[in-house]
Amino acid sequence: MGRPSRLGDEDRSDYGRALDEVIASPEIRLLLERSGVPGGRLRVRGLAAVARTTSAADAEYRRYAALRRRARGGRQDAGVSPLSGPGDQERPGAGVLAVLGVLTPVLAAVAAATFLLLGYGLRLAEALPALAGTLVGVGWFSLAVAAVTALVSVVALYRTAAKQSADGTASVPDPSPAVEDAREAWLAALRDRGIRPFLLQQLTEAAPPPRPDDGHGSRFSSPAFAGPDFSGPDFSGPGFEGSGHRGSGRPAPDSSEPRR
């Protein structure tokens, strides 16, 4: 038997709902009242034991995951994001363009501010008027470059976000009946064979020990010697009196002998 499958991120919400359904069942609610364990603590234990409980329904989960992957055309599940960036950033060289799109407006704005300050500073000092005019002109040109590149970056970012949203919506088709049936079979097996036995074990271990019944068979008592009507042994034989003399052992008078 192979290693149990790891539960995907998009299936953890289904696991949480299945756990809540089992906790809300009458059987578990009754045991919760008897044991005194809070329902929230039991839910935390169930979430922490996800690897243990899901292994009981591993065969059903493998079938469900395979059908879902096949319905999506073999693409990666939506819950696992690719390591490279979204959209066009997966193409070679797209990372350099993205960096330039961010740095160009910033550097152009810094250069514009520097040239303008130096140019207008020289004009106020009335020194080097030719250099001051050149610095002012370069400053305004850098400011225009910063504005244009910033506008282009905003438009490109908006288009990338819109494309990513459209791709994400189209990449998850409507689930087929076979996938839904496999999902329901997995959830049923998860509830019956994984979650419910685990919760029952937790509640059984947390249940208080049974209290002994006071005065009902717990104390030792002799049924033959504890009663108040106990009398000595009955020596009913020749020369002894039966129950009239309790164990005295004296011979009884002979009633057939004539009295004088």
Side-chain angles (χ1 to χ4, degrees), residues 96-111:
V96 177
L97 294 177
V99 171
L100 291 178
V102 174
L103 291 181
T104 301
V106 176
L107 295 178
V110 172

PDB file of all heavy atoms in Angstrom, residues 96-111:
ATOM      1  N   VAL A  96      12.581  41.055 -16.428  1.00  0.00           N
ATOM      2  CA  VAL A  96      13.377  42.266 -16.655  1.00  0.00           C
ATOM      3  C   VAL A  96      12.482  43.420 -17.061  1.00  0.00           C
ATOM      4  O   VAL A  96      12.657  44.566 -16.603  1.00  0.00           O
ATOM      5  CB  VAL A  96      14.455  41.985 -17.720  1.00  0.00           C
ATOM      6  CG1 VAL A  96      15.251  43.250 -18.017  1.00  0.00           C
ATOM      7  CG2 VAL A  96      15.369  40.862 -17.259  1.00  0.00           C
ATOM      8  N   LEU A  97      11.504  43.151 -17.925  1.00  0.00           N
ATOM      9  CA  LEU A  97      10.586  44.214 -18.341  1.00  0.00           C
ATOM     10  C   LEU A  97       9.760  44.731 -17.174  1.00  0.00           C
ATOM     11  O   LEU A  97       9.500  45.936 -17.064  1.00  0.00           O
ATOM     12  CB  LEU A  97       9.662  43.684 -19.446  1.00  0.00           C
ATOM     13  CG  LEU A  97      10.344  43.320 -20.766  1.00  0.00           C
ATOM     14  CD1 LEU A  97       9.324  42.749 -21.753  1.00  0.00           C
ATOM     15  CD2 LEU A  97      11.040  44.539 -21.367  1.00  0.00           C
ATOM     16  N   ALA A  98       9.363  43.817 -16.290  1.00  0.00           N
ATOM     17  CA  ALA A  98       8.590  44.263 -15.124  1.00  0.00           C
ATOM     18  C   ALA A  98       9.428  45.153 -14.216  1.00  0.00           C
ATOM     19  O   ALA A  98       8.950  46.172 -13.697  1.00  0.00           O
ATOM     20  CB  ALA A  98       8.081  43.045 -14.359  1.00  0.00           C
ATOM     21  N   VAL A  99      10.699  44.778 -14.040  1.00  0.00           N
ATOM     22  CA  VAL A  99      11.570  45.598 -13.197  1.00  0.00           C
ATOM     23  C   VAL A  99      11.798  46.973 -13.814  1.00  0.00           C
ATOM     24  O   VAL A  99      11.758  48.006 -13.123  1.00  0.00           O
ATOM     25  CB  VAL A  99      12.907  44.867 -12.967  1.00  0.00           C
ATOM     26  CG1 VAL A  99      13.908  45.787 -12.270  1.00  0.00           C
ATOM     27  CG2 VAL A  99      12.682  43.618 -12.138  1.00  0.00           C
ATOM     28  N   LEU A 100      12.028  47.013 -15.132  1.00  0.00           N
ATOM     29  CA  LEU A 100      12.205  48.303 -15.802  1.00  0.00           C
ATOM     30  C   LEU A 100      10.940  49.143 -15.743  1.00  0.00           C
ATOM     31  O   LEU A 100      11.004  50.371 -15.605  1.00  0.00           O
ATOM     32  CB  LEU A 100      12.626  48.078 -17.254  1.00  0.00           C
ATOM     33  CG  LEU A 100      14.031  47.506 -17.467  1.00  0.00           C
ATOM     34  CD1 LEU A 100      14.288  47.285 -18.955  1.00  0.00           C
ATOM     35  CD2 LEU A 100      15.085  48.428 -16.875  1.00  0.00           C
ATOM     36  N   GLY A 101       9.786  48.494 -15.847  1.00  0.00           N
ATOM     37  CA  GLY A 101       8.540  49.251 -15.785  1.00  0.00           C
ATOM     38  C   GLY A 101       8.323  49.906 -14.436  1.00  0.00           C
ATOM     39  O   GLY A 101       7.656  50.938 -14.339  1.00  0.00           O
ATOM     40  N   VAL A 102       8.888  49.321 -13.394  1.00  0.00           N
ATOM     41  CA  VAL A 102       8.740  49.909 -12.058  1.00  0.00           C
ATOM     42  C   VAL A 102       9.845  50.931 -11.778  1.00  0.00           C
ATOM     43  O   VAL A 102       9.577  52.002 -11.213  1.00  0.00           O
ATOM     44  CB  VAL A 102       8.755  48.788 -10.990  1.00  0.00           C
ATOM     45  CG1 VAL A 102       8.764  49.377  -9.580  1.00  0.00           C
ATOM     46  CG2 VAL A 102       7.548  47.873 -11.159  1.00  0.00           C
ATOM     47  N   LEU A 103      11.073  50.624 -12.191  1.00  0.00           N
ATOM     48  CA  LEU A 103      12.191  51.506 -11.850  1.00  0.00           C
ATOM     49  C   LEU A 103      12.273  52.750 -12.730  1.00  0.00           C
ATOM     50  O   LEU A 103      12.730  53.805 -12.268  1.00  0.00           O
ATOM     51  CB  LEU A 103      13.512  50.732 -11.954  1.00  0.00           C
ATOM     52  CG  LEU A 103      13.741  49.637 -10.909  1.00  0.00           C
ATOM     53  CD1 LEU A 103      15.091  48.974 -11.122  1.00  0.00           C
ATOM     54  CD2 LEU A 103      13.662  50.233  -9.503  1.00  0.00           C
ATOM     55  N   THR A 104      11.844  52.644 -13.974  1.00  0.00           N
ATOM     56  CA  THR A 104      11.988  53.797 -14.882  1.00  0.00           C
ATOM     57  C   THR A 104      11.249  55.038 -14.394  1.00  0.00           C
ATOM     58  O   THR A 104      11.826  56.148 -14.367  1.00  0.00           O
ATOM     59  CB  THR A 104      11.533  53.422 -16.297  1.00  0.00           C
ATOM     60  OG1 THR A 104      12.324  52.325 -16.757  1.00  0.00           O
ATOM     61  CG2 THR A 104      11.681  54.589 -17.253  1.00  0.00           C
ATOM     62  N   PRO A 105       9.983  54.967 -14.022  1.00  0.00           N
ATOM     63  CA  PRO A 105       9.322  56.184 -13.512  1.00  0.00           C
ATOM     64  C   PRO A 105       9.993  56.740 -12.264  1.00  0.00           C
ATOM     65  O   PRO A 105      10.100  57.961 -12.097  1.00  0.00           O
ATOM     66  CB  PRO A 105       7.891  55.716 -13.227  1.00  0.00           C
ATOM     67  CG  PRO A 105       7.707  54.488 -14.030  1.00  0.00           C
ATOM     68  CD  PRO A 105       9.050  53.833 -14.073  1.00  0.00           C
ATOM     69  N   VAL A 106      10.449  55.856 -11.383  1.00  0.00           N
ATOM     70  CA  VAL A 106      11.066  56.328 -10.137  1.00  0.00           C
ATOM     71  C   VAL A 106      12.384  57.044 -10.426  1.00  0.00           C
ATOM     72  O   VAL A 106      12.637  58.163  -9.928  1.00  0.00           O
ATOM     73  CB  VAL A 106      11.285  55.138  -9.176  1.00  0.00           C
ATOM     74  CG1 VAL A 106      12.015  55.596  -7.904  1.00  0.00           C
ATOM     75  CG2 VAL A 106       9.958  54.491  -8.816  1.00  0.00           C
ATOM     76  N   LEU A 107      13.233  56.435 -11.248  1.00  0.00           N
ATOM     77  CA  LEU A 107      14.518  57.061 -11.563  1.00  0.00           C
ATOM     78  C   LEU A 107      14.338  58.355 -12.353  1.00  0.00           C
ATOM     79  O   LEU A 107      15.069  59.341 -12.123  1.00  0.00           O
ATOM     80  CB  LEU A 107      15.384  56.075 -12.366  1.00  0.00           C
ATOM     81  CG  LEU A 107      15.817  54.802 -11.623  1.00  0.00           C
ATOM     82  CD1 LEU A 107      16.620  53.897 -12.549  1.00  0.00           C
ATOM     83  CD2 LEU A 107      16.616  55.156 -10.378  1.00  0.00           C
ATOM     84  N   ALA A 108      13.379  58.361 -13.267  1.00  0.00           N
ATOM     85  CA  ALA A 108      13.136  59.589 -14.042  1.00  0.00           C
ATOM     86  C   ALA A 108      12.636  60.706 -13.142  1.00  0.00           C
ATOM     87  O   ALA A 108      13.023  61.884 -13.309  1.00  0.00           O
ATOM     88  CB  ALA A 108      12.122  59.302 -15.150  1.00  0.00           C
ATOM     89  N   ALA A 109      11.799  60.370 -12.178  1.00  0.00           N
ATOM     90  CA  ALA A 109      11.295  61.405 -11.258  1.00  0.00           C
ATOM     91  C   ALA A 109      12.423  61.940 -10.384  1.00  0.00           C
ATOM     92  O   ALA A 109      12.511  63.167 -10.129  1.00  0.00           O
ATOM     93  CB  ALA A 109      10.180  60.823 -10.402  1.00  0.00           C
ATOM     94  N   VAL A 110      13.308  61.067  -9.906  1.00  0.00           N
ATOM     95  CA  VAL A 110      14.428  61.518  -9.080  1.00  0.00           C
ATOM     96  C   VAL A 110      15.376  62.400  -9.907  1.00  0.00           C
ATOM     97  O   VAL A 110      15.853  63.452  -9.436  1.00  0.00           O
ATOM     98  CB  VAL A 110      15.182  60.301  -8.500  1.00  0.00           C
ATOM     99  CG1 VAL A 110      16.460  60.746  -7.796  1.00  0.00           C
ATOM    100  CG2 VAL A 110      14.279  59.542  -7.529  1.00  0.00           C
ATOM    101  N   ALA A 111      15.651  62.005 -11.141  1.00  0.00           N
ATOM    102  CA  ALA A 111      16.529  62.821 -12.005  1.00  0.00           C
ATOM    103  C   ALA A 111      15.901  64.164 -12.316  1.00  0.00           C
ATOM    104  O   ALA A 111      16.587  65.211 -12.330  1.00  0.00           O
ATOM    105  CB  ALA A 111      16.813  62.051 -13.297  1.00  0.00           C
TER     106      ALA A 111
END
